[in-house]
Amino acid sequence: MSSLTTEILGTSDADLSRAADLLKAGQLVSFPTETVYGLGADARNGTAVASVYAAKGRPSFNPLIAHVHSVAAAQQLVQWNDLAERLAAAFWPGPLTLVLPLREDHGVSGLVTAGLQTLAVRVPAHPTALRLLRLVDGPVAAPSANPSGRISPTTAAHVLAGLNGRIAAVVDDGPCGVGVESTIVGLSGPDPMLLRPGGLAAEDIEATLGTSLTDRDAADPLSAPGQLLSHYAPNARVRLNATKAGEGELLLGFGSMDCDLNLSAIGDLAEAAANLFEHLHRLDAIGQPIAVAPIPEHGLGSAINDRLRRAAAPRDDSSAH
Ligand code: TXA
Ligand code: MG
């Protein structure tokens, strides 16, 4: 694609108006959310959405999340239901994405849904994201603002490292607080389904619903399109559940231990999630294989381990991008 000068915008009213105008004109603008930086495009503008896939080099069957500023705005896109009402009341704005059947008059480009009859929607909690979404006042499709298959960005510098010259602007508002992507819950089938673990613990969702979430059937690629195995891949080889570094390896630690970088020396999973991509970026930049300490498989640990398993998945698999 042609090379642009990527504008670096702040959070003044003038800068956010500029960002909103660029989005409304079909340009790509990266903006912070509480989870990771998103790469935004007007979800109703097919050309704009296509340029998201192009900028990211993303496989076209990978559907995108529509970001909106309110429940009312979400209800204009999808067929709302009782479970959506309860989860939105409890967790929106926040790191939760709901997948629901599309309304007939949704107006969203088919490239956003990758042709599915459902749409992923979310109201992010980040104040700057909400201000921007109110200015745009329409759905903004936004995958994480990284080239496909690479580590998700939690700072504007990460965004520029991957996409400088490929997008119109980035709104820089410092590091993201949560640090892993939103939890995705499918509400279009008979039972609520956990499609992707993320920044909101599945246990909290289950407590609100009073029922357990069905696990995505890993054997059925159609149940969660885009969940490619090596989606979160640093350049370096990644080895999991390491208690110490092998020859030539860098150790990414968790809890009290000797290591090159620690996700959380006190063993706090939220702190570890917030550090995950930043630490992977920093170790990856050194250019040696990365060994990662075991992370407990509960709460945010599930999301962290999900990302780490993708980072460690074999790269020569033909389904990987
Ligand atoms: O925290 C987040 O969710 C970040 C920020 C920017 O909001 N966004 C994000 O988007 O992680 P992305 O595109 O990297 O991941 C979206 C995931 C895809 O992997 C896809 O599988 C799933 O959402 N998805 C989107 N629409 C879907 C649908 N209709 N049915 C099932 N899964 C869907
Ligand atoms: Mg992503």
Side-chain angles (χ1 to χ4, degrees):
M1 72 186 317
S2 62
S3 183
L4 304 162
T5 301
T6 300
E7 294 176 36
I8 301 171
L9 300 170
T11 59
S12 66
D13 286 347
D15 276 12
L16 286 190
S17 293
R18 171 73 181 151
D21 287 346
L22 286 167
L23 284 168
K24 287 192 269 191
Q27 300 290 311
L28 303 187
V29 176
S30 176
F31 62 95
T33 80
E34 75 278 27
T35 58
V36 300
Y37 274 71
L39 177 55
D42 178 350
R44 294 170 297 200
N45 179 336
T47 313
V49 178
S51 60
V52 167
Y53 290 103
K56 282 180 65 85
R58 163 175 261 195
S60 62
F61 47 79
N62 211 354
L64 307 177
I65 298 169
H67 295 68
V68 291
H69 57 68
S70 62
V71 170
Q75 288 170 337
Q76 292 177 7
L77 305 173
V78 291
Q79 297 172 37
W80 205 241
N81 64 33
D82 177 54
L83 293 182
E85 183 60 37
R86 276 156 65 189
L87 291 181
F91 301 116
W92 275 3
L96 171 68
T97 294
L98 301 178
V99 174
L100 288 156
L102 275 167
R103 270 174 62 144
E104 250 176 52
D105 57 350
H106 58 82
V108 163
S109 158
L111 277 178
V112 174
T113 59
L116 298 172
Q117 292 310 305
T118 54
L119 179 69
V121 284
R122 144 167 143 84
V123 180
H126 198 291
T128 300
L130 285 172
R131 280 171 67 207
L132 180 62
L133 290 169
R134 285 192 202 100
L135 288 170
V136 174
D137 200 22
V140 173
S144 50
N146 53 290
S148 185
R150 304 295 296 279
I151 302 167
S152 294
T154 52
T155 65
H158 294 165
V159 174
L160 290 167
L163 297 173
N164 194 16
R166 301 172 74 89
I167 63 177
V170 56
V171 176
D172 183 355
D173 195 12
C176 304
V178 176
V180 291
E181 291 91 336
S182 60
T183 302
I184 305 182
V185 174
L187 295 177
S188 61
D191 300 308
M193 188 179 288
L194 182 64
L195 295 177
R196 178 178 75 182
L200 177 66
E203 290 91 331
D204 293 346
I205 297 169
E206 291 176 331
T208 294
L209 292 176
T211 161
S212 55
L213 293 166
T214 308
D215 262 344
R216 174 178 76 85
D217 179 8
D220 174 10
L222 291 180
S223 69
Q227 297 294 311
L228 300 172
L229 201 56
S230 80
H231 193 72
Y232 298 89
N235 289 317
R237 194 162 40 75
V238 176
R239 179 170 72 87
L240 303 182
N241 294 315
T243 45
K244 58 179 194 197
E247 182 78 35
E249 281 182 334
L250 299 166
L251 184 59
L252 179 58
F254 179 83
S256 173
M257 64 191 297
D258 245 3
C259 53
D260 296 280
L261 276 181
N262 203 318
L263 289 170
S264 170
I266 58 167
D268 179 66
L269 288 168
E271 182 186 18
N275 284 331
L276 179 64
F277 291 120
E278 173 66 33
H279 283 13
L280 281 175
H281 274 288
R282 283 171 59 188
L283 292 179
D284 199 24
I286 299 171
Q288 288 166 236
I290 301 168
V292 188
I295 312 291
E297 183 71 36
H298 62 81
L300 289 184
S302 307
I304 295 169
N305 283 321
D306 177 69
R307 303 301 183 274
L308 287 171
R309 280 191 291 271
R310 290 169 199 283
R315 307 296 162 67
D316 55 357
D317 177 40
S318 61
S319 72
H321 292 260

